[in-house]
Amino acid sequence: MIDSVLPHSWNPAILLIIGGLLVPLIPLQIRKAYMVALPILAALHLATIPMGNYGEMEFFGFTLTNMRLDGLSRIVAIVFLLATTLNVIYAWYVNDTVQQVASIVYPASALGGVLSGDFITLFVFWELAAVSSVFLIWASRTERAYKAGMRYIIIQVGSGVLLLAGLILYALETGSIEFTLMKLESLPVLLIFLAFGIKSAFPLLHNWVQDSYPESTVSGTIVLSIFTTKLAVYSLARGFAGTEQLIYIGATMTLFPIFFAVIEDNLRKVLTYSINNQVGFM
């Protein structure tokens, strides 16, 4: 195991968010190298942390778990950090500070959601990912991008509102906010499931992907295509593994985008239908 100078309780996602917010202060000559180094250092720190729960604290009688590291969260976290590194390299030519900050803070927020051990912590990172990602759409600086970004943020925040309502009712019903396996047998769990479904772009809840992603910048579209829906897929794997309804939802998601992708002449929209298709397989 690699030794780290940082305490194990330091969440790599929070370190990455702080590092991303500092990007505008870094001299242009070394900024891109700094951005590549951020996810690499976060991954090295992650590699030093043993399996377990970290950063636990009491909040109105509930236990918040800032970081839960187990087999599922570790492998997804590694993939997210690898993708963040590759995205920075791919966007090496970009000199837009807004995009540079968002391309670090947004993946870091998704990473924080993956490492969350409770619903409140998940909610915080869930909404932070929504807010930080919209700047990749607005970075195009066109009227279409602005309007698409507004629709995107409304839908994403709406997903968070459903998650918040579900977790409050779930806490009142069960006395727990632990983010763990659930069954679709109550209203609170259904609300949480719908929140995950919106972010996963379930059929009939998917149009925000085709509406917003193509309006982003070229490199921004690539970043957006990776983290939002995959955070939701992870959340479904964590909370609803074995849920029978996901078989039918996933099968539908793999089939319906194929027709639209074939008749679409906008290559960016073809990419978004491919996202729907691949998330269906996931």
Side-chain angles (χ1 to χ4, degrees):
M1 184 68 70
I2 303 171
D3 291 328
S4 174
V5 296
L6 299 174
H8 290 158
S9 59
W10 288 33
N11 190 325
I14 295 176
L15 295 175
L16 203 55
I17 290 172
I18 294 172
L21 293 174
L22 293 177
V23 163
L25 304 179
I26 305 301
L28 292 175
Q29 297 85 343
I30 62 171
R31 181 180 294 176
K32 293 173 183 177
Y34 167 80
M35 291 175 62
V36 172
L38 282 174
I40 293 175
L41 293 175
L44 291 174
H45 175 55
L46 179 70
T48 70
I49 305 175
M51 301 290 193
N53 294 338
Y54 299 92
E56 293 185 339
M57 58 180 292
E58 293 300 313
F59 180 78
F60 290 100
F62 297 104
T63 300
L64 302 185
T65 304
N66 176 262
M67 179 170 58
R68 172 180 53 196
L69 201 59
D70 57 17
L72 178 60
S73 61
R74 182 187 286 275
I75 189 63
V76 177
I78 291 171
V79 171
F80 275 22
L81 288 168
L82 175 61
T84 304
T85 306
L86 294 175
N87 283 333
V88 173
I89 296 172
Y90 175 77
W92 192 270
Y93 69 95
V94 174
N95 293 313
D96 182 0
T97 302
V98 171
Q99 289 188 72
Q100 290 173 330
V101 173
S103 65
I104 296 294
V105 175
Y106 163 48
S109 302
L111 174 64
V114 166
L115 296 175
S116 299
D118 65 271
F119 282 119
I120 293 178
T121 305
L122 175 66
F123 168 76
V124 171
F125 284 115
W126 194 269
E127 295 293 67
L128 185 56
V131 172
S132 56
S133 60
V134 75
F135 287 98
L136 292 170
I137 302 171
W138 287 338
S140 291
R141 295 175 173 84
T142 65
E143 184 68 18
R144 285 172 58 92
Y146 174 75
K147 291 180 178 178
M150 290 300 297
R151 293 190 291 268
Y152 171 88
I153 194 65
I154 289 170
I155 291 171
Q156 295 300 315
V157 170
S159 168
V161 170
L162 282 176
L163 177 59
L164 178 62
L167 77 86
I168 291 173
L169 294 175
Y170 184 80
L172 293 174
E173 183 179 274
T174 66
S176 171
I177 58 169
E178 182 183 1
F179 182 21
T180 186
L181 189 65
M182 298 168 285
K183 293 184 178 180
L184 277 174
E185 297 177 348
S186 65
L187 176 61
V189 176
L190 178 60
L191 291 175
I192 294 170
F193 185 77
L194 287 175
F196 292 174
I198 291 173
K199 229 175 183 68
S200 297
F202 279 0
L204 304 181
L205 302 174
H206 69 282
N207 288 328
W208 59 269
V209 179
Q210 284 71 39
D211 178 47
S212 58
Y213 284 15
E215 302 304 326
S216 178
T217 62
V218 173
S219 59
T221 300
I222 302 301
V223 181
L224 286 167
S225 69
I226 297 173
F227 298 101
T228 296
T229 51
K230 309 318 176 291
L231 169 59
V233 168
Y234 165 83
S235 299
L236 289 169
R238 172 69 68 184
F240 296 97
T243 299
E244 183 177 354
Q245 289 84 343
L246 287 175
I247 299 173
Y248 307 105
I249 293 171
T252 304
M253 288 180 71
T254 62
L255 295 175
F256 87 85
I258 297 174
F259 170 77
F260 292 102
V262 169
I263 65 173
E264 180 60 61
D265 58 3
N266 183 319
L267 287 180
R268 290 203 195 181
K269 286 194 175 182
V270 172
L271 170 65
T272 62
Y273 286 117
S274 177
I275 292 170
N276 292 136
N277 171 265
Q278 296 302 312
V279 171
F281 280 110
M282 295 179 194

